[in-house]
Amino acid sequence: MAVPGLGTLINAAAIVAGAGLGTVAGHRLPDRVRHTVTDVLGLITLVIGGLDVASLVDPALTRAVGGRAPLLIMLGALVIGSVAGAAVHLERRLEQVGEWMQRRLTRGGEAGSFSEGFVTASLVVAVGPLAILGALSDGLGRGIDQLVIKSVMDGVICIAFGASLGWGVAAAALSVIAVQGSFTVVGATLGTLLPDAEIATISAVGGVLLLGVGLRVLNVRQIPVANMLPALIVGPLLTWIVSISR
């Protein structure tokens, strides 16, 4: 039986390795190549986000809250979560964490992209259904297969991010350890998975956040996606409230 948390450690190692490879290789690539890779990554992020938003029609969610409620629940979660995140300046606080880490972990050189690399990569690799389901499965002792798959995906993603955003991408491994480690502890403590309806809500809301990340990567608009992160908590809470009130 795998040791709980092993899947997350493998995931973090893949992120660091991918970011390191991308950073080293990125300096040897022409700007047009790096920009093309970044554009491709942005488009892929939009595709992944769109697929996650499709969780709004997940049968478990529609059975729990009805056919029309999921969209309203997602809207409510994003509005409430965004207001809460903006009120505490969550986006800026994450950037400050990146800046603090930059001062501690770098010796001059490129400074501008460290925070952006940390925040952008963290929002991609630490948000999503695999991060939640994989970590919970790990904590419950059901194996780390999902996290191994996620590790491969994140490693490839971080190669592309590292090529354009540098070493800040590697710091996203700490976000993964914090987020997935928390869900692993929840799985090990509670011994049960979240209901399918709540997981579907998290996936749908996370998909919207990934769409925002994709727009940032493509430089369409710098949407403050980090301010929307509380929606990942509000969403399943609203789903639970609606489901018990039916």
Side-chain angles (χ1 to χ4, degrees):
M1 180 181 296
V3 177
L6 178 61
T8 293
L9 293 179
I10 293 174
N11 198 170
I15 291 170
V16 174
L21 181 58
T23 301
V24 172
H27 292 299
R28 296 181 173 86
L29 293 175
D31 287 342
R32 64 180 180 277
V33 175
R34 283 186 285 168
H35 292 160
T36 299
V37 171
T38 301
D39 289 343
V40 170
L41 180 60
L43 292 173
I44 291 175
T45 302
L46 290 177
V47 171
I48 295 173
L51 292 174
D52 285 349
V53 171
S55 296
L56 284 176
V57 295
D58 185 282
L61 179 58
T62 55
R63 283 197 302 269
V65 301
R68 297 183 179 181
L71 183 59
L72 295 177
I73 289 173
M74 185 174 71
L75 175 61
L78 288 168
V79 171
I80 297 172
S82 298
V83 169
V88 298
H89 305 286
L90 189 55
E91 175 96 5
R92 180 54 188 157
R93 291 182 187 280
L94 278 177
E95 292 175 351
Q96 289 173 340
V97 171
E99 292 167 359
W100 178 85
M101 292 174 64
Q102 175 209 344
R103 292 194 297 270
R104 296 296 186 275
L105 301 178
T106 62
R107 300 177 181 178
E110 296 183 359
S113 65
F114 192 96
S115 295
E116 182 68 13
F118 167 64
V119 174
T120 302
S122 293
L123 290 172
V124 172
V125 301
V127 176
L130 275 181
I132 297 169
L133 293 174
L136 286 172
S137 179
D138 187 6
L140 290 169
R142 297 186 177 182
I144 60 174
D145 295 352
Q146 295 179 54
L147 290 182
V148 170
I149 294 173
K150 180 177 182 293
S151 297
V152 175
M153 295 173 58
D154 289 350
V156 174
I157 288 172
C158 287
I159 290 175
F161 269 137
S164 59
L165 297 175
W167 283 107
V169 176
L174 299 179
S175 299
V176 165
I177 290 174
V179 173
Q180 293 180 187
S182 298
F183 280 108
T184 298
V185 171
V186 169
T189 302
L190 300 181
T192 180
L193 291 170
L194 291 173
D196 291 340
E198 276 78 355
I199 290 294
T201 303
I202 293 173
S203 298
V205 173
V208 174
L209 301 190
L210 285 178
L211 291 175
V213 171
L215 294 177
R216 285 172 63 121
V217 174
L218 293 171
N219 289 319
V220 175
R221 184 177 177 184
Q222 293 301 307
I223 298 174
V225 180
N227 283 343
M228 305 177 184
L229 287 174
L232 294 171
I233 299 175
V234 178
L237 179 60
L238 290 178
T239 298
W240 176 74
I241 291 174
V242 174
S243 66
I244 64 174
S245 64
R246 294 186 72 210

Short mmCIF file of all heavy atoms in Angstrom, two decimals, residues 25-75:
data_model
loop_
_atom_site.label_atom_id
_atom_site.label_comp_id
_atom_site.label_asym_id
_atom_site.label_seq_id
_atom_site.Cartn_x
_atom_site.Cartn_y
_atom_site.Cartn_z
N ALA A 25 15.85 25.11 -21.19
CA ALA A 25 15.68 25.03 -22.64
C ALA A 25 15.16 26.34 -23.20
O ALA A 25 15.49 26.71 -24.34
CB ALA A 25 14.73 23.89 -23.01
N GLY A 26 14.37 27.04 -22.38
CA GLY A 26 13.76 28.27 -22.86
C GLY A 26 14.78 29.32 -23.25
O GLY A 26 14.58 30.08 -24.20
N HIS A 27 15.90 29.39 -22.52
CA HIS A 27 16.92 30.39 -22.82
C HIS A 27 17.58 30.12 -24.17
O HIS A 27 18.23 31.02 -24.73
CB HIS A 27 17.98 30.40 -21.73
CG HIS A 27 17.45 30.92 -20.42
ND1 HIS A 27 16.95 32.19 -20.26
CD2 HIS A 27 17.33 30.33 -19.20
CE1 HIS A 27 16.56 32.38 -19.01
NE2 HIS A 27 16.78 31.26 -18.34
N ARG A 28 17.45 28.90 -24.66
CA ARG A 28 18.09 28.54 -25.93
C ARG A 28 17.11 28.60 -27.11
O ARG A 28 17.48 28.29 -28.23
CB ARG A 28 18.69 27.14 -25.83
CG ARG A 28 19.82 27.03 -24.81
CD ARG A 28 20.39 25.62 -24.77
NE ARG A 28 21.57 25.54 -23.94
CZ ARG A 28 21.57 25.35 -22.63
NH1 ARG A 28 20.41 25.23 -22.01
NH2 ARG A 28 22.69 25.29 -21.94
N LEU A 29 15.87 28.96 -26.81
CA LEU A 29 14.87 29.01 -27.87
C LEU A 29 14.64 30.46 -28.32
O LEU A 29 14.66 31.37 -27.49
CB LEU A 29 13.54 28.44 -27.37
CG LEU A 29 13.52 26.94 -27.05
CD1 LEU A 29 12.17 26.58 -26.45
CD2 LEU A 29 13.78 26.11 -28.29
N PRO A 30 14.43 30.69 -29.60
CA PRO A 30 14.09 32.04 -30.07
C PRO A 30 12.79 32.52 -29.44
O PRO A 30 11.93 31.71 -29.06
CB PRO A 30 13.93 31.84 -31.59
CG PRO A 30 14.64 30.58 -31.90
CD PRO A 30 14.50 29.71 -30.69
N ASP A 31 12.65 33.83 -29.33
CA ASP A 31 11.45 34.38 -28.72
C ASP A 31 10.19 33.92 -29.43
O ASP A 31 9.16 33.66 -28.80
CB ASP A 31 11.51 35.91 -28.72
CG ASP A 31 12.50 36.45 -27.70
OD1 ASP A 31 12.86 35.69 -26.78
OD2 ASP A 31 12.90 37.62 -27.82
N ARG A 32 10.25 33.83 -30.75
CA ARG A 32 9.04 33.44 -31.50
C ARG A 32 8.61 32.02 -31.14
O ARG A 32 7.41 31.72 -31.12
CB ARG A 32 9.28 33.56 -33.00
CG ARG A 32 10.33 32.62 -33.57
CD ARG A 32 10.49 32.81 -35.08
NE ARG A 32 11.49 31.91 -35.64
CZ ARG A 32 12.79 32.15 -35.64
NH1 ARG A 32 13.25 33.27 -35.10
NH2 ARG A 32 13.63 31.27 -36.17
N VAL A 33 9.59 31.14 -30.84
CA VAL A 33 9.25 29.77 -30.45
C VAL A 33 8.61 29.76 -29.07
O VAL A 33 7.60 29.09 -28.84
CB VAL A 33 10.51 28.87 -30.49
CG1 VAL A 33 10.17 27.48 -29.96
CG2 VAL A 33 11.07 28.79 -31.90
N ARG A 34 9.21 30.49 -28.14
CA ARG A 34 8.65 30.55 -26.79
C ARG A 34 7.25 31.15 -26.79
O ARG A 34 6.35 30.69 -26.08
CB ARG A 34 9.57 31.35 -25.87
CG ARG A 34 10.80 30.58 -25.42
CD ARG A 34 11.59 31.35 -24.40
NE ARG A 34 12.33 32.44 -25.03
CZ ARG A 34 12.94 33.42 -24.35
NH1 ARG A 34 12.83 33.47 -23.05
NH2 ARG A 34 13.61 34.36 -24.97
N HIS A 35 7.04 32.19 -27.60
CA HIS A 35 5.72 32.80 -27.68
C HIS A 35 4.71 31.84 -28.27
O HIS A 35 3.55 31.79 -27.82
CB HIS A 35 5.79 34.08 -28.51
CG HIS A 35 6.56 35.18 -27.86
ND1 HIS A 35 7.09 36.24 -28.56
CD2 HIS A 35 6.91 35.38 -26.57
CE1 HIS A 35 7.74 37.04 -27.74
NE2 HIS A 35 7.64 36.53 -26.52
N THR A 36 5.14 31.07 -29.25
CA THR A 36 4.24 30.08 -29.86
C THR A 36 3.86 29.01 -28.84
O THR A 36 2.68 28.61 -28.75
CB THR A 36 4.91 29.42 -31.08
OG1 THR A 36 5.21 30.43 -32.06
CG2 THR A 36 3.99 28.38 -31.70
N VAL A 37 4.84 28.53 -28.09
CA VAL A 37 4.56 27.52 -27.06
C VAL A 37 3.59 28.07 -26.03
O VAL A 37 2.65 27.37 -25.61
CB VAL A 37 5.87 27.07 -26.38
CG1 VAL A 37 5.57 26.20 -25.17
CG2 VAL A 37 6.76 26.32 -27.36
N THR A 38 3.78 29.32 -25.63
CA THR A 38 2.89 29.93 -24.65
C THR A 38 1.48 30.06 -25.21
O THR A 38 0.49 29.81 -24.50
CB THR A 38 3.41 31.32 -24.24
OG1 THR A 38 4.71 31.18 -23.68
CG2 THR A 38 2.50 31.95 -23.19
N ASP A 39 1.36 30.43 -26.48
CA ASP A 39 0.04 30.54 -27.10
C ASP A 39 -0.66 29.19 -27.14
O ASP A 39 -1.87 29.09 -26.87
CB ASP A 39 0.17 31.09 -28.53
CG ASP A 39 0.55 32.57 -28.55
OD1 ASP A 39 0.39 33.24 -27.51
OD2 ASP A 39 1.01 33.04 -29.60
N VAL A 40 0.09 28.15 -27.49
CA VAL A 40 -0.48 26.80 -27.52
C VAL A 40 -0.97 26.40 -26.13
O VAL A 40 -2.06 25.84 -25.96
CB VAL A 40 0.54 25.77 -28.04
CG1 VAL A 40 0.04 24.35 -27.84
CG2 VAL A 40 0.84 26.02 -29.52
N LEU A 41 -0.14 26.70 -25.11
CA LEU A 41 -0.52 26.37 -23.74
C LEU A 41 -1.78 27.12 -23.33
O LEU A 41 -2.66 26.55 -22.67
CB LEU A 41 0.63 26.73 -22.80
CG LEU A 41 0.40 26.45 -21.31
CD1 LEU A 41 0.13 24.98 -21.09
CD2 LEU A 41 1.60 26.89 -20.50
N GLY A 42 -1.89 28.38 -23.73
CA GLY A 42 -3.09 29.15 -23.41
C GLY A 42 -4.33 28.54 -24.04
O GLY A 42 -5.38 28.44 -23.40
N LEU A 43 -4.21 28.12 -25.30
CA LEU A 43 -5.34 27.51 -25.98
C LEU A 43 -5.73 26.18 -25.34
O LEU A 43 -6.92 25.88 -25.17
CB LEU A 43 -5.00 27.29 -27.46
CG LEU A 43 -4.84 28.57 -28.30
CD1 LEU A 43 -4.33 28.23 -29.69
CD2 LEU A 43 -6.16 29.33 -28.39
N ILE A 44 -4.73 25.38 -24.96
CA ILE A 44 -5.01 24.10 -24.30
C ILE A 44 -5.70 24.33 -22.97
O ILE A 44 -6.62 23.60 -22.58
CB ILE A 44 -3.71 23.29 -24.12
CG1 ILE A 44 -3.18 22.83 -25.48
CG2 ILE A 44 -3.94 22.08 -23.21
CD1 ILE A 44 -1.85 22.13 -25.42
N THR A 45 -5.25 25.36 -22.26
CA THR A 45 -5.88 25.69 -20.97
C THR A 45 -7.34 26.05 -21.17
O THR A 45 -8.21 25.67 -20.37
CB THR A 45 -5.13 26.85 -20.30
OG1 THR A 45 -3.76 26.50 -20.13
CG2 THR A 45 -5.73 27.17 -18.94
N LEU A 46 -7.65 26.79 -22.25
CA LEU A 46 -9.04 27.13 -22.55
C LEU A 46 -9.85 25.87 -22.84
O LEU A 46 -11.01 25.75 -22.39
CB LEU A 46 -9.10 28.07 -23.75
CG LEU A 46 -8.59 29.50 -23.54
CD1 LEU A 46 -8.65 30.28 -24.85
CD2 LEU A 46 -9.40 30.22 -22.47
N VAL A 47 -9.25 24.94 -23.57
CA VAL A 47 -9.96 23.68 -23.89
C VAL A 47 -10.25 22.90 -22.61
O VAL A 47 -11.38 22.41 -22.40
CB VAL A 47 -9.13 22.83 -24.87
CG1 VAL A 47 -9.75 21.43 -25.02
CG2 VAL A 47 -9.04 23.51 -26.22
N ILE A 48 -9.24 22.78 -21.74
CA ILE A 48 -9.42 22.04 -20.48
C ILE A 48 -10.50 22.71 -19.63
O ILE A 48 -11.35 22.05 -19.03
CB ILE A 48 -8.10 21.95 -19.71
CG1 ILE A 48 -7.08 21.12 -20.50
CG2 ILE A 48 -8.31 21.33 -18.32
CD1 ILE A 48 -5.69 21.12 -19.89
N GLY A 49 -10.45 24.05 -19.59
CA GLY A 49 -11.46 24.78 -18.82
C GLY A 49 -12.86 24.54 -19.37
O GLY A 49 -13.81 24.32 -18.60
N GLY A 50 -13.00 24.55 -20.69
CA GLY A 50 -14.30 24.30 -21.29
C GLY A 50 -14.83 22.91 -20.99
O GLY A 50 -16.02 22.72 -20.71
N LEU A 51 -13.94 21.93 -21.01
CA LEU A 51 -14.34 20.56 -20.69
C LEU A 51 -14.80 20.45 -19.24
O LEU A 51 -15.76 19.73 -18.93
CB LEU A 51 -13.18 19.59 -20.96
CG LEU A 51 -12.80 19.40 -22.43
CD1 LEU A 51 -11.54 18.55 -22.53
CD2 LEU A 51 -13.94 18.77 -23.21
N ASP A 52 -14.11 21.17 -18.36
CA ASP A 52 -14.50 21.13 -16.95
C ASP A 52 -15.86 21.82 -16.71
O ASP A 52 -16.65 21.37 -15.88
CB ASP A 52 -13.43 21.79 -16.08
CG ASP A 52 -12.20 20.92 -15.90
OD1 ASP A 52 -12.26 19.73 -16.28
OD2 ASP A 52 -11.18 21.42 -15.42
N VAL A 53 -16.10 22.91 -17.45
CA VAL A 53 -17.39 23.60 -17.30
C VAL A 53 -18.54 22.68 -17.68
O VAL A 53 -19.65 22.81 -17.15
CB VAL A 53 -17.40 24.89 -18.16
CG1 VAL A 53 -18.81 25.49 -18.20
CG2 VAL A 53 -16.41 25.91 -17.62
N ALA A 54 -18.27 21.72 -18.56
CA ALA A 54 -19.31 20.77 -18.97
C ALA A 54 -19.83 19.93 -17.80
O ALA A 54 -20.86 19.27 -17.92
CB ALA A 54 -18.76 19.85 -20.07
N SER A 55 -19.14 19.98 -16.67
CA SER A 55 -19.61 19.26 -15.48
C SER A 55 -20.93 19.82 -14.98
O SER A 55 -21.58 19.21 -14.11
CB SER A 55 -18.56 19.34 -14.36
OG SER A 55 -17.37 18.69 -14.73
N LEU A 56 -21.36 20.97 -15.50
CA LEU A 56 -22.66 21.52 -15.12
C LEU A 56 -23.80 20.58 -15.47
O LEU A 56 -24.87 20.63 -14.86
CB LEU A 56 -22.88 22.87 -15.82
CG LEU A 56 -22.14 24.09 -15.27
CD1 LEU A 56 -22.41 25.30 -16.14
CD2 LEU A 56 -22.55 24.37 -13.83
N VAL A 57 -23.59 19.72 -16.47
CA VAL A 57 -24.64 18.78 -16.87
C VAL A 57 -24.36 17.38 -16.34
O VAL A 57 -24.97 16.41 -16.82
CB VAL A 57 -24.80 18.76 -18.41
CG1 VAL A 57 -25.27 20.11 -18.91
CG2 VAL A 57 -23.49 18.37 -19.10
N ASP A 58 -23.46 17.28 -15.37
CA ASP A 58 -23.18 15.98 -14.76
C ASP A 58 -24.47 15.42 -14.15
O ASP A 58 -25.18 16.13 -13.43
CB ASP A 58 -22.11 16.15 -13.68
CG ASP A 58 -21.67 14.83 -13.10
OD1 ASP A 58 -22.41 14.28 -12.25
OD2 ASP A 58 -20.59 14.34 -13.47
N PRO A 59 -24.79 14.16 -14.42
CA PRO A 59 -26.04 13.57 -13.90
C PRO A 59 -26.17 13.66 -12.38
O PRO A 59 -27.28 13.90 -11.86
CB PRO A 59 -25.96 12.11 -14.36
CG PRO A 59 -25.08 12.16 -15.58
CD PRO A 59 -24.07 13.22 -15.31
N ALA A 60 -25.07 13.46 -11.67
CA ALA A 60 -25.14 13.52 -10.21
C ALA A 60 -25.54 14.91 -9.73
O ALA A 60 -26.31 15.06 -8.76
CB ALA A 60 -23.79 13.12 -9.61
N LEU A 61 -25.04 15.94 -10.41
CA LEU A 61 -25.36 17.31 -10.02
C LEU A 61 -26.81 17.65 -10.35
O LEU A 61 -27.52 18.23 -9.52
CB LEU A 61 -24.41 18.28 -10.72
CG LEU A 61 -24.63 19.77 -10.45
CD1 LEU A 61 -24.53 20.07 -8.96
CD2 LEU A 61 -23.60 20.61 -11.23
N THR A 62 -27.26 17.29 -11.55
CA THR A 62 -28.63 17.60 -11.93
C THR A 62 -29.64 16.83 -11.08
O THR A 62 -30.73 17.33 -10.79
CB THR A 62 -28.86 17.31 -13.42
OG1 THR A 62 -28.50 15.95 -13.72
CG2 THR A 62 -28.01 18.25 -14.28
N ARG A 63 -29.29 15.60 -10.69
CA ARG A 63 -30.20 14.85 -9.80
C ARG A 63 -30.30 15.51 -8.44
O ARG A 63 -31.36 15.51 -7.81
CB ARG A 63 -29.69 13.41 -9.63
CG ARG A 63 -29.97 12.49 -10.81
CD ARG A 63 -29.83 11.03 -10.39
NE ARG A 63 -28.50 10.75 -9.85
CZ ARG A 63 -27.46 10.35 -10.58
NH1 ARG A 63 -27.61 10.16 -11.89
NH2 ARG A 63 -26.29 10.11 -10.02
N ALA A 64 -29.20 16.07 -7.97
CA ALA A 64 -29.18 16.64 -6.62
C ALA A 64 -29.88 17.99 -6.53
O ALA A 64 -30.54 18.29 -5.53
CB ALA A 64 -27.74 16.78 -6.13
N VAL A 65 -29.73 18.83 -7.58
CA VAL A 65 -30.25 20.20 -7.49
C VAL A 65 -31.26 20.54 -8.58
O VAL A 65 -31.82 21.64 -8.57
CB VAL A 65 -29.09 21.21 -7.53
CG1 VAL A 65 -28.12 20.98 -6.39
CG2 VAL A 65 -28.36 21.17 -8.87
N GLY A 66 -31.49 19.65 -9.54
CA GLY A 66 -32.39 19.95 -10.63
C GLY A 66 -31.64 20.37 -11.88
O GLY A 66 -30.45 20.66 -11.85
N GLY A 67 -32.36 20.42 -13.00
CA GLY A 67 -31.72 20.70 -14.27
C GLY A 67 -31.30 22.14 -14.48
O GLY A 67 -30.35 22.42 -15.21
N ARG A 68 -31.99 23.09 -13.87
CA ARG A 68 -31.71 24.51 -14.11
C ARG A 68 -30.81 25.13 -13.05
O ARG A 68 -30.22 26.20 -13.28
CB ARG A 68 -33.02 25.29 -14.18
CG ARG A 68 -33.93 24.86 -15.33
CD ARG A 68 -35.18 25.72 -15.38
NE ARG A 68 -36.04 25.33 -16.51
CZ ARG A 68 -37.20 25.92 -16.80
NH1 ARG A 68 -37.64 26.90 -16.02
NH2 ARG A 68 -37.91 25.51 -17.84
N ALA A 69 -30.73 24.52 -11.90
CA ALA A 69 -30.00 25.12 -10.79
C ALA A 69 -28.48 25.18 -10.97
O ALA A 69 -27.85 26.11 -10.46
CB ALA A 69 -30.34 24.39 -9.49
N PRO A 70 -27.83 24.21 -11.63
CA PRO A 70 -26.36 24.23 -11.67
C PRO A 70 -25.76 25.53 -12.18
O PRO A 70 -24.78 26.04 -11.61
CB PRO A 70 -26.03 23.06 -12.61
CG PRO A 70 -27.14 22.10 -12.40
CD PRO A 70 -28.35 22.96 -12.23
N LEU A 71 -26.33 26.11 -13.25
CA LEU A 71 -25.79 27.35 -13.78
C LEU A 71 -25.94 28.48 -12.78
O LEU A 71 -25.03 29.31 -12.60
CB LEU A 71 -26.50 27.71 -15.09
CG LEU A 71 -25.97 28.97 -15.80
CD1 LEU A 71 -24.50 28.83 -16.13
CD2 LEU A 71 -26.79 29.25 -17.06
N LEU A 72 -27.09 28.54 -12.10
CA LEU A 72 -27.30 29.58 -11.09
C LEU A 72 -26.36 29.39 -9.90
O LEU A 72 -25.87 30.36 -9.33
CB LEU A 72 -28.76 29.56 -10.62
CG LEU A 72 -29.81 29.92 -11.68
CD1 LEU A 72 -31.21 29.78 -11.10
CD2 LEU A 72 -29.57 31.33 -12.19
N ILE A 73 -26.13 28.12 -9.54
CA ILE A 73 -25.20 27.84 -8.44
C ILE A 73 -23.80 28.31 -8.81
O ILE A 73 -23.10 28.94 -8.00
CB ILE A 73 -25.20 26.33 -8.11
CG1 ILE A 73 -26.52 25.95 -7.44
CG2 ILE A 73 -24.02 25.97 -7.20
CD1 ILE A 73 -26.68 24.46 -7.21
N MET A 74 -23.36 28.02 -10.05
CA MET A 74 -22.04 28.45 -10.47
C MET A 74 -21.94 29.97 -10.50
O MET A 74 -20.94 30.55 -10.06
CB MET A 74 -21.70 27.89 -11.85
CG MET A 74 -20.28 28.22 -12.30
SD MET A 74 -19.81 27.42 -13.86
CE MET A 74 -20.81 28.35 -15.02
N LEU A 75 -22.98 30.63 -10.99
CA LEU A 75 -23.00 32.09 -11.01
C LEU A 75 -22.90 32.66 -9.60
O LEU A 75 -22.11 33.56 -9.33
CB LEU A 75 -24.28 32.58 -11.69
CG LEU A 75 -24.50 34.10 -11.69
CD1 LEU A 75 -23.39 34.80 -12.44
CD2 LEU A 75 -25.88 34.44 -12.31
#
